[in-house]
Amino acid sequence: MVRDRSPPRGHRALTLLGHSEAWAAWRRARDGVRMHHAWLLSGRQGLGKASFAHAAARELVGASGEDHPDIHVLTYAAKDDKEDKKRLDGKPFEKARSIRIAQIRAMQQRLVTRPTAGDWRAVIIDPADDLERNAANALLKSLEEPPEGTIFLLVSHRPAQLLPTIRSRCRVLRFPPVSADALHRQLERNAPDADAPARAAAIAAAAGSPGAALSYLQLDLGKVARLMQSILEEGDRGFARRAALAELIGARPDRDRMSAMLDMARQSLAQHLAGVVHHPGPVIDAHEQLVRLTGEHATFNYDAGLLAMEIGTLLVKAAEASDRADA
């Protein structure tokens, strides 16, 4: 279901970090002789790429507000007609899990004419990683023969999932991770009610993503992060930590909370892998299994308790492999 993404009480709006180089590259291109028609905004989720895309689009077309006839945004639509009716009635609705070919076709129909209010228009696709295969192929045709005055901004958290032919037609703007010190200062400002251990756990798990760190705090996942870390460091011979992990997640967590937990587990394991010098194979396998679970979670209705136990077991396997390597 669509939920209010505004920060909970005690959290302030997050100031975006690490965009200065991207803005400099964008503005040099905008002021140059010929601007590239397609841009791939690349970096992990939570770095503010979508916010950059919207701000860059407004700057390009000279818009003063959010809505403008020459800014077209393609993202997840309603899941079906029933959910779309809820959307039209202003009610919470369930979104589709991909961007569909019908959305690309509708956008292409709108691009047959010139921009409405000026020389430029912008098409934002967020996230481009979740284009259906047919939708991606249809988009490719527009990238190969771009309509006059049209700039495409593709937001991508996982560029490797895009068609190579799409990547090859885009100029890449990379959004780097933010330093732990900068994250710490920002969370002190934006999450003053969170205790220091929770902020530290969120920063460690966020891997340089301000949005992810704040999301972990909003979803109260600080204890989950610390428990995952203790499993990686000490294992779980008696299953007590895995049981505690399932209890912290809850019997019926919402999709946002479960997705954040999977993301946190992957990041924790990736950071753990950096310290494994010998025989990293089992740790890599555990990480690949977490990637698989993340993909399946978007499609299948897993039991939350069983999924939490499976995540804990994968972390235990990584801990045991590290113990053998250190022995």
Side-chain angles (χ1 to χ4, degrees):
M1 302 292 288
V2 175
R3 293 177 174 83
D4 182 6
R5 293 303 190 114
S6 60
R9 188 174 299 174
H11 291 70
R12 304 187 179 95
L14 196 64
T15 303
L16 299 175
L17 301 174
H19 288 189
S20 57
E21 291 185 10
W23 274 118
W26 169 263
R27 287 167 176 156
R28 282 197 301 270
R30 183 201 61 192
D31 296 337
V33 176
R34 183 178 180 183
M35 189 173 187
H36 197 77
H37 70 281
W39 295 72
L40 181 63
L41 279 53
S42 171
R44 71 158 309 205
Q45 194 165 6
L47 292 171
K49 302 184 299 299
S51 296
F52 178 94
H54 284 265
R58 291 195 299 271
E59 184 177 274
L60 180 72
V61 304
S64 57
E66 291 294 325
D67 296 323
H68 191 279
D70 291 323
I71 298 177
H72 309 292
V73 182
L74 278 71
T75 187
Y76 305 113
K79 178 182 177 181
D80 51 32
D81 290 344
K82 179 181 177 182
E83 296 301 318
D84 195 45
K85 186 177 185 306
K86 293 180 184 177
R87 179 186 67 83
L88 293 172
D89 291 341
K91 298 177 181 178
F93 66 95
E94 187 175 354
K95 291 184 178 181
R97 293 169 180 169
S98 61
I99 298 173
R100 299 163 174 168
I101 188 171
Q103 295 172 261
I104 299 295
R105 296 294 191 208
M107 176 268 294
Q108 290 170 330
Q109 287 295 317
R110 298 177 69 180
L111 301 186
V112 297
T113 58
R114 292 182 58 83
T116 302
D119 295 329
W120 294 102
R121 67 183 154 210
V123 176
I124 300 170
I125 301 178
D126 175 26
D129 314 320
D130 287 341
L131 285 162
E132 290 180 344
R133 183 77 178 192
N134 288 340
N137 286 325
L139 174 65
L140 181 60
K141 294 180 180 179
S142 292
L143 298 183
E144 290 172 338
E145 300 178 8
E148 184 177 354
T150 300
I151 301 296
F152 293 89
L153 293 158
L154 279 61
V155 177
S156 177
H157 315 311
R158 303 176 299 278
Q161 292 190 4
L162 293 173
L163 292 176
T165 44
I166 286 181
R167 295 200 305 269
S168 69
R169 283 162 175 77
C170 295
R171 176 172 173 179
V172 178
L173 280 183
R174 291 185 173 84
F175 290 73
V178 174
S179 71
D181 287 343
L183 275 182
H184 179 76
R185 291 192 297 271
Q186 190 159 70
L187 290 184
E188 282 189 324
R189 292 193 302 270
N190 289 279
D193 295 343
D195 59 39
R199 283 201 298 267
I203 290 169
S209 168
L214 188 59
S215 176
Y216 296 155
L217 289 177
Q218 290 175 355
L219 294 168
D220 195 25
L221 291 178
K223 291 180 180 178
V224 173
R226 294 196 293 274
L227 184 55
M228 287 181 178
Q229 190 59 40
S230 71
I231 292 174
L232 283 170
E233 292 174 354
E234 303 172 25
D236 183 27
R237 286 185 172 83
F239 283 86
R241 290 191 174 99
R242 275 167 280 189
L245 185 63
E247 184 176 354
L248 283 173
I249 292 303
R252 297 181 63 84
D254 62 36
R255 184 169 294 277
D256 288 343
R257 184 173 175 80
M258 186 59 79
S259 296
M261 186 196 72
L262 283 161
D263 188 35
M264 179 177 286
R266 291 198 318 275
Q267 293 301 327
S268 297
L269 197 51
Q271 293 169 19
H272 180 73
L273 178 60
V276 178
V277 179
H278 305 292
H279 311 297
V283 185
I284 294 172
D285 288 342
H287 187 271
E288 289 177 349
Q289 290 299 311
L290 279 173
V291 172
R292 175 186 60 79
L293 282 175
T294 301
E296 292 177 353
H297 165 67
T299 305
F300 303 118
N301 188 24
Y302 281 126
D303 177 89
L306 292 177
L307 183 56
M309 291 293 285
E310 177 64 15
I311 292 169
T313 297
L314 290 171
L315 296 176
V316 168
K317 289 180 178 178
E320 291 174 346
S322 304
D323 288 343
R324 288 194 296 272
D326 293 338

